[in-house]
Amino acid sequence: MPSLETLRESFAIADHVTFEYGPGDLIFAQVDNAHASARLALYGAHVTAYQPKGQAPVIFTSQASRYEAGAAIRGGIPICWPWFAAHPSDSGKPSHGFARITPWTLAETQALPNGATQLRFDLSDNADSRALWPHAFGLSYTVTVGNSLMVDLAIHNREAEAITYTGALHSYFHVGDVRQIHIEGLDGLDYLDKVRGMNRFTQAGVVRFDQEVDRIYLSTTAETVLHDPVLERTVHVAKRGSHSTVVWNPWAEKSQAMADMMDAGYVSMVCIETANAAENAVNIPAGDTAHLGAEIWLA
Ligand code: TA6
């Protein structure tokens, strides 16, 4: 893990990127440019904040989040990879894979001509990852902070045979009041409902929230639009290389049961996840690179 000094010397850019210690003594990159601000932990290459100038925060991060080795930050954009949710055959392995609980290497920062800031983080297999998932891989995560937030995970298969992954960019959005929002873009899709025994249903109309929602919408590449009448805005989420969209809100009881959520935390968040889950698992041929990406903007 490089020191704060090394990061500052190699990657700080005036009017774009600084580095500092945050909670749990984790190192964060703080982005402030003409368009927006954002915050990223090197631990998990985890975006924990994104806020266009003059707007309320777009991303939700729990005030009760843990910031410690082995635990995932609650909120932001956890990178769930190489498996989504519980490991399919070994419940002793970490939920949502190991990428979100592993320190990544900052490889590059750049000020773009349009005033946006770009950061790239890398992660390759090592003895720890191979003990959990026996494959050679190279991940490269590019985050572009501007009028929109773009995140792109490039997944390079370094094996001599195909690999299969499931995963998600598990984005948590800050909302005025989840009981008043709705999500457009999922009408007519089949989904697996975790709240109802992973049974399959078909979405009719927009998605609204009056109880726990935990669904994998299947075989969709469509953009979703989050309508927030309290914050008087819409949040658009467009996807790349993603064939599932996961929608999650834990509601009251689960929020209270989660040590890293405030009791009423569920009211001001919703997850819309750019995913490849269940039957949308992705096969990457030997030597190939697949992408999983999202662009998020306000209107
Ligand atoms: O993406 C939805 C989900 O898989 C839910 O079932 C819920 O458990 C959530 O993710 C959070 O998982 P985590 O491992 O971060 O507690």
Side-chain angles (χ1 to χ4, degrees), residues 72-75 78 80 84-86 94-96 100 168 170 172 194 212-216 246-250 254 258 260 271 273 275:
I73 296 171
R74 176 66 64 199
C80 301
F84 179 79
S95 164
H96 287 312
R100 65 176 183 164
H170 193 303
Y172 287 69
K194 196 165 171 187
E212 182 186 359
V213 169
D214 194 349
R215 300 175 182 171
I216 301 171
V246 176
V247 176
W248 180 53
N249 182 285
K254 280 218 171 131
M258 289 162 71
D260 56 2
C271 289
E273 305 166 33

Side-chain angles (χ1 to χ4, degrees), residues 245-287:
T245 298
V246 176
V247 176
W248 180 53
N249 182 285
W251 217 248
E253 210 176 309
K254 280 218 171 131
S255 270
Q256 286 156 21
M258 289 162 71
D260 56 2
M261 275 288 263
M262 305 296 278
D263 285 357
Y266 75 98
V267 176
S268 45
M269 56 77 62
V270 71
C271 289
I272 302 175
E273 305 166 33
T274 296
N276 284 310
E279 65 201 50
N280 297 136
V282 174
N283 190 268
I284 310 175

Side-chain angles (χ1 to χ4, degrees), residues 35-279:
H35 303 293
S37 64
R39 205 168 159 77
L40 299 100
L42 272 67
Y43 178 68
H46 199 128
V47 174
T48 60
Y50 170 63
Q51 186 167 13
K53 290 254 180 289
Q55 296 286 343
V58 174
I59 297 292
F60 167 95
T61 297
S62 171
Q63 290 168 41
S65 177
R66 291 189 288 170
Y67 292 89
E68 61 194 44
I73 296 171
R74 176 66 64 199
I77 311 183
I79 301 174
C80 301
W81 193 88
W83 58 85
F84 179 79
H87 186 275
S89 60
D90 185 348
S91 60
K93 290 185 176 175
S95 164
H96 287 312
F98 52 79
R100 65 176 183 164
I101 52 170
T102 303
W104 290 52
T105 302
L106 181 60
E108 190 180 13
T109 54
Q110 232 188 312
L112 301 183
N114 67 0
T117 311
Q118 194 166 76
L119 305 93
R120 183 165 59 81
F121 299 85
D122 291 342
L123 181 69
S124 298
D125 60 288
N126 57 29
D128 290 342
S129 75
R130 286 191 294 271
L132 292 165
W133 196 67
H135 299 293
F137 65 85
L139 299 181
S140 214
Y141 188 52
T142 305
V143 179
T144 310
V145 179
N147 278 329
S148 68
L149 174 68
M150 285 190 275
V151 286
D152 181 79
L153 181 68
I155 305 158
H156 181 50
N157 176 6
R158 293 191 172 137
E159 292 284 355
E161 58 193 38
I163 58 171
T164 300
Y165 89 86
T166 56
L169 303 173
H170 193 303
S171 21
Y172 287 69
F173 292 99
H174 167 61
V175 298
D177 184 336
V178 76
R179 296 162 295 198
Q180 296 185 51
I181 67 167
H182 67 267
I183 298 171
E184 190 192 333
L186 302 165
D187 184 27
L189 295 173
D190 277 8
Y191 63 90
L192 303 178
D193 193 339
K194 196 165 171 187
V195 178
R196 292 185 281 174
M198 286 309 255
N199 283 313
R200 199 175 179 112
F201 299 90
T202 302
Q203 180 66 34
V206 300
V207 181
R208 295 183 191 275
F209 299 83
D210 59 5
Q211 58 182 316
E212 182 186 359
V213 169
D214 194 349
R215 300 175 182 171
I216 301 171
Y217 288 90
L218 297 163
S219 304
T220 174
T221 57
E223 178 183 322
T224 47
V225 184
L226 160 55
H227 293 259
D228 188 332
V230 174
L231 295 179
E232 296 179 336
R233 68 185 189 187
T234 54
V235 183
H236 294 249
V237 185
K239 316 197 295 169
R240 173 187 190 191
S242 159
H243 293 271
S244 319
T245 298
V246 176
V247 176
W248 180 53
N249 182 285
W251 217 248
E253 210 176 309
K254 280 218 171 131
S255 270
Q256 286 156 21
M258 289 162 71
D260 56 2
M261 275 288 263
M262 305 296 278
D263 285 357
Y266 75 98
V267 176
S268 45
M269 56 77 62
V270 71
C271 289
I272 302 175
E273 305 166 33
T274 296
N276 284 310
E279 65 201 50

